[in-house]
Amino acid sequence: MATSRGVLRFLESRKNLTGSACGIAGLALTFAGVAGPYWPVVVAGLYGAGALVAPPERPAPPGFPDPSEQLGEVREDFGRLRDYLAEVDVPPVAAARLTQLDELLTALLDPGWAAELLAQDPEALHALGRAVRQDVPEAVDTYARTRWWTRIAPGQEQPERHLERQLTLVHDELTGIVGTLRETEARRQESHTRYLEERNP
């Protein structure tokens, strides 16, 4: 089975197709009377020459999703994260921070010009996906598990403090993304102003 696939791959390769085209040209020369009695050598030589000059085969690059598709996937994961958070009991301060994160993520992920700008920034898109898929759910899940152990063995540092600190750090990172996107738009606006000024001295 593997051998037949290898033969088929060779028959469809650029080297074989180019060599075959040159070999056919050799046959045409033979019928024209140019090759004479050495026509097999001419045909084989032209085939070999064509196979040598043919461009090498290269595998097609993997088809990774484009930024807009990645953003759509993050948006879907954010919906799943919301469903998860709706079932988790967290202290009031952490709940307030989660509400702020929800509002910030909603504003960034809502379809529109902000999402289009975000899709053009791979680092910001990666950070946003990491916050939705890893940072927030891990912080909340770790809190829920640690709180259970703390109830059995009290006296340790309260897990609420770690949760609040983690959510604050995630919020700060996302706020930084907003600032970066705002600066990008500001530079675009300044560039357009300079263009108009240069066009109308």
Side-chain angles (χ1 to χ4, degrees), residues 85 88-99 139-140 143-144 147 151 158-165 167:
L85 294 177
V88 179
D89 182 26
V90 296
V93 175
R97 182 59 75 188
L98 284 173
T99 299
V140 174
Y143 159 76
R147 181 181 59 174
R151 289 174 178 173
Q158 295 300 313
E160 290 83 356
R161 295 182 181 177
H162 285 288
L163 176 62
E164 294 163 10
R165 179 61 179 153
L167 296 178

Side-chain angles (χ1 to χ4, degrees), residues 140-159:
V140 174
D141 182 62
T142 304
Y143 159 76
R145 289 185 284 115
T146 306
R147 181 181 59 174
W148 184 82
W149 288 106
T150 303
R151 289 174 178 173
I152 296 177
Q156 304 295 322
E157 185 176 3
Q158 295 300 313

Side-chain angles (χ1 to χ4, degrees), residues 2-140:
T3 303
S4 62
R5 280 199 301 265
V7 171
L8 183 61
R9 191 178 303 115
F10 170 75
L11 292 175
E12 296 175 347
S13 68
R14 296 178 183 177
K15 290 185 176 296
N16 182 57
L17 293 176
T18 306
S20 297
C22 292
I24 292 172
L27 287 175
L29 292 174
T30 299
F31 292 134
V34 177
Y38 302 103
W39 68 268
V41 177
V42 173
V43 172
L46 287 174
Y47 175 87
L52 286 175
V53 301
E57 295 290 331
R58 63 176 182 81
F64 295 118
D66 60 32
S68 61
E69 292 176 348
Q70 295 179 31
L71 190 60
E73 293 173 359
V74 174
R75 193 177 289 122
E76 292 177 2
D77 292 339
F78 177 51
R80 285 191 284 270
L81 175 63
R82 280 177 137 179
D83 294 339
Y84 164 70
L85 294 177
E87 300 177 1
V88 179
D89 182 26
V90 296
V93 175
R97 182 59 75 188
L98 284 173
T99 299
Q100 293 175 337
L101 281 170
D102 182 85
E103 294 172 353
L104 190 53
L105 288 167
T106 299
L108 287 169
L109 290 172
D110 273 351
W113 62 268
E116 293 174 2
L117 186 62
L118 180 65
Q120 299 172 11
D121 190 335
E123 292 185 6
L125 185 56
H126 173 71
L128 187 62
R130 183 179 57 204
V132 169
R133 296 167 176 152
Q134 177 181 338
D135 296 339
V136 174
E138 184 171 342
V140 174

